[in-house]
């Protein structure tokens, strides 16, 4: 009598099913980790721009209106704005960073330009005449008044709350969240 050692079709199907279940659980977690990493890089760049803007403000008494005035090299190309009225937008494949200096409202923001979370990003408000929070990093999901809007198929907080643990704040052009 031969002793055949082989897998049955049922055993192979069970293994394939288990691998499929594991992949369906692991892939969203992997995508979330990748997006958090991209967001962390964007936050790091935003913080560098904030520091350069503060140094410029101390030296000149006003905030810069473009990146060339700052003691900071941003290696991104001139790009399209994701927020109307922005000065000197700089873009890479996934992000646009912009300066706004419109009299009583001065901010810098970095916005996701493609992918699942396009229209989301981070902002630092230096000065404002509105009641918006300032001198802190805000996460946003733009829903109006922007050239690039957050996907309406995503729920409120999908970017800022689920990925960055933000808490809802105020905002006229979308959902703004204070970061911990």
């Amino acid at each position: 009598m031969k002793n055949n050692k082989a897998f049955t079709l049922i055993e192979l199907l069970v293994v394939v099913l288990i691998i499929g279940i594991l992949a369906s659980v692991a892939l969203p977690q992997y995508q979330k980790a990748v997006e958090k990493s991209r967001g962390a890089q964007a936050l790091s760049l935003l913080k560098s721009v904030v520091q350069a803007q503060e140094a410029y403000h101390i030296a000149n008494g006003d905030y810069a209106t473009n990146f060339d005035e700052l003691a900071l090299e941003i290696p991104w190309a001139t790009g399209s704005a994701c927020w109307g009225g922005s000065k000197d937008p700089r873009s890479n494949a996934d992000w646009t960073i912009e300066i706004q200096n419109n009299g009583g409202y001065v901010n810098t923001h970095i916005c996701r330009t493609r992918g699942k979370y396009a229209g989301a990003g981070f902002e630092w408000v230096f000065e404002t005449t509105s009641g918006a929070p300032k001198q802190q990093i805000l996460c946003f999901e733009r829903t109006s008044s922007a050239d690039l809007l957050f996907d309406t198929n995503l729920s409120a907080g999908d970017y800022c709350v689920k990925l960055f643990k933000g808490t809802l704040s105020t905002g006229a052009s979308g959902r703004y969240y204070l970061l911990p």
Side-chain angles (χ1 to χ4, degrees), residues 31-103:
Q31 290 171 331
K32 183 178 176 182
V34 167
E35 190 59 40
K36 284 176 80 169
S37 173
R38 287 182 180 146
Q41 290 174 331
L43 279 169
S44 177
L45 178 59
L46 179 63
K47 288 175 184 177
S48 295
V49 172
V50 167
Q51 290 173 344
Q53 274 281 42
E54 292 296 353
Y56 184 91
H57 185 263
I58 289 169
N60 299 292
D62 197 8
Y63 291 99
T65 58
N66 65 62
F67 291 109
D68 293 334
E69 296 174 325
L70 300 176
L72 177 70
E73 182 67 30
I74 298 179
W76 299 355
T78 300
S80 59
C82 76
W83 180 259
S86 294
K87 310 282 191 286
D88 192 22
R90 303 284 176 98
S91 300
N92 71 5
D94 297 312
W95 297 89
T96 292
I97 188 163
E98 303 167 331
I99 292 175
Q100 278 190 312
N101 190 341
N102 301 327

Side-chain angles (χ1 to χ4, degrees), residues 21-37 116-117 162-163 165:
I21 291 170
L22 290 174
S24 70
V25 170
L27 185 60
Q29 292 303 316
Y30 170 74
Q31 290 171 331
K32 183 178 176 182
V34 167
E35 190 59 40
K36 284 176 80 169
S37 173
K116 178 179 179 179
Y117 299 108
K162 290 182 180 177
L163 295 178
K165 301 187 183 348

